[in-house]
Amino acid sequence: MKRILIAGGAGFIGTHLCRRMLAEGNEVICLDDLSSGSYENIRDLLEKDRFTFIQQDVIDPVEVAGPLDRIYDLACQASPVQYQKDPVHTARTSVLGACNLLDLARHTGARILLTSTSETYGEPLVHPQPESYRGNVNSIGIRSCYDEGKRMAETLFFDYHRQYGTDIRVVRLFNTYGPGMLRRDGRVVSNFILQALSGKPITIYGDGLQTRCLCYVDDTLEAIVRMMETDGITGPVNIGNPVEMTVKEIADLVLDLSDSRSGIVYMARPQDDPTRRCPDITLAGRLLGWAPTISPREGLRRTIEYFRDE
Ligand code: UDP
């Protein structure tokens, strides 16, 4: 049994991780300010002996009594619509949150994992993106609070590792989706599914020819846990499903799978919206023996079912 702190544990991926860690017999301390996470997500866990919830913002110093074996840093809004509402807070969450959790790792000797992002590659000039690609990020744009925030968090992880010997892991997640996504999330998958199910027009930003790769949450989770539990590596390691799809293809697939009669409306493309995105996951295969197992068709089918039941 390990004692595990999950910062952002009431969020989308965090909730799945809390459940998995509890099911494997660990003690879980979930820290979340509930800004994007929700109490509903974890309500049933509160009764469990091995589960503790701390409502706190990671930008404040994090203190946890007793020893810790593992710290997962998932504490940041990942949806552009959400993280752009209070960009200063988004940057502070990534940077100060990383500092606070790294200090805790340093003092407890816990291993710590950062969920970084494909956003570190910005508008990529290399395709698909390997971890060695240093990216093309606009440091003064509306996405920079998140992109540069996560890049700085990566820097802090590696500096704590070099300077203090902190045991770090860094993964870069590419568009994860699945059951448990918030309705108000604002990202492509939840928007399209909710629109399709309610018969409202699907909102495609731009011409819909920009691409993304969608990774089902169970696949992402498996990779994160393998990364944490593999000795002798730091990353960064890309985690994503390299089936590249245009946004229009995602819309068509959602319409097909949900038997929807919604039309499509084309709207303005957001500033700095990356044109292409696809992970090179060679490294994840080699280091973790990992590859995604759920196709976009199957994953979207399950996610549509989830939203329909909701
Ligand atoms: N997008 C869209 N309609 C929506 C939401 C998103 O066309 O209602 C597009 C968006 O412009 C982007 C892609 O879908 O090109 C993925 O956007 P999302 O906000 O999901 O996340 P990102 O990958 O940009 O961080």
Side-chain angles (χ1 to χ4, degrees):
M1 182 176 100
K2 295 194 175 75
R3 204 155 179 260
I4 301 172
L5 176 73
I6 303 177
F12 164 46
I13 299 176
T15 313
H16 287 271
L17 185 60
C18 286
R19 289 178 194 284
R20 171 153 175 185
M21 292 297 109
L22 284 169
E24 291 179 1
N26 301 294
E27 181 181 342
V28 172
I29 303 160
C30 167
L31 185 139
D32 205 299
D33 70 345
L34 301 181
S35 55
S36 66
S38 129
Y39 205 68
E40 281 311 309
N41 285 345
I42 52 161
R43 189 181 290 284
D44 60 310
L45 301 181
L46 296 169
E47 296 150 20
K48 297 196 188 285
D49 295 341
R50 289 180 281 103
F51 184 78
T52 312
F53 176 60
I54 304 173
Q55 185 169 353
Q56 196 211 298
D57 192 327
V58 273
I59 70 170
D60 300 319
V62 180
E63 283 170 24
V64 173
L68 275 178
D69 302 299
R70 301 283 186 260
I71 300 172
Y72 287 90
D73 181 359
L74 284 81
C76 190
Q77 307 251 22
S79 162
V81 178
Q82 303 299 336
Y83 70 62
Q84 286 164 19
K85 282 184 182 160
D86 186 350
V88 172
H89 189 256
T90 299
R92 288 164 70 92
T93 302
S94 280
V95 177
L96 299 179
C99 285
N100 289 330
L101 295 172
L102 283 161
D103 282 336
L104 189 65
R106 193 181 158 205
H107 295 127
T108 57
R111 181 179 289 178
I112 180 167
L113 179 144
L114 171 70
T115 51
S116 184
T117 167
S118 56
E119 291 286 311
T120 58
Y121 302 121
E123 171 71 327
L125 304 176
V126 169
H127 200 78
Q129 295 84 54
E131 292 82 353
S132 56
Y133 177 52
R134 293 185 184 171
N136 178 32
V137 175
N138 176 5
S139 64
I140 57 167
I142 58 170
R143 292 175 83 103
S144 335
C145 57
Y146 184 70
D147 302 9
E148 298 286 14
K150 286 288 189 180
R151 286 170 68 96
M152 188 65 210
E154 288 195 4
T155 305
L156 284 161
F157 267 67
F158 278 85
D159 280 334
Y160 269 70
H161 176 63
R162 283 185 287 258
Q163 201 169 333
Y164 305 122
T166 307
D167 189 9
I168 62 155
R169 302 286 181 279
V170 176
V171 289
R172 292 181 179 150
L173 306 185
F174 286 65
N175 297 66
T176 295
Y177 72 102
M181 288 186 98
L182 286 187
R183 298 178 72 85
R184 62 173 191 277
D185 180 78
R187 274 178 291 185
V188 66
V189 169
S190 46
N191 275 10
F192 285 4
I193 292 176
L194 289 169
Q195 289 158 351
L197 291 180
S198 62
K200 293 191 182 130
I202 303 274
T203 54
I204 290 185
Y205 304 155
D207 57 13
L209 297 180
Q210 69 269 36
T211 67
R212 291 295 186 274
C213 290
L214 305 178
C215 194
Y216 190 68
V217 63
D218 291 0
D219 282 328
T220 299
L221 203 65
E222 180 60 30
I224 291 174
V225 175
R226 283 194 198 187
M227 184 75 189
M228 181 63 114
E229 298 307 331
T230 301
D231 290 330
I233 56 173
T234 55
V237 173
N238 287 339
I239 304 300
N241 187 344
V243 178
E244 190 178 359
M245 297 172 77
T246 67
V247 166
K248 173 71 165 59
E249 283 167 343
I250 297 171
D252 289 339
L253 189 52
V254 168
L255 285 170
D256 175 29
L257 291 169
S258 58
D259 279 329
S260 170
R261 290 206 211 136
S262 290
I264 290 179
V265 286
Y266 290 87
M267 301 169 72
R269 180 114 172 261
Q271 191 189 322
D272 287 344
D273 189 46
T275 312
R276 291 189 81 184
R277 252 316 152 54
C278 185
D280 179 330
I281 56 164
T282 312
L283 195 60
R286 197 167 74 233
L287 295 178
L288 312 176
W290 175 88
T293 58
I294 312 276
S295 68
R297 173 171 280 274
E298 174 58 18
L300 286 171
R301 193 192 60 73
R302 293 186 198 179
T303 312
I304 289 167
E305 213 164 277
Y306 164 78
F307 278 113
R308 206 176 250 143
D309 290 348
E310 259 217 324

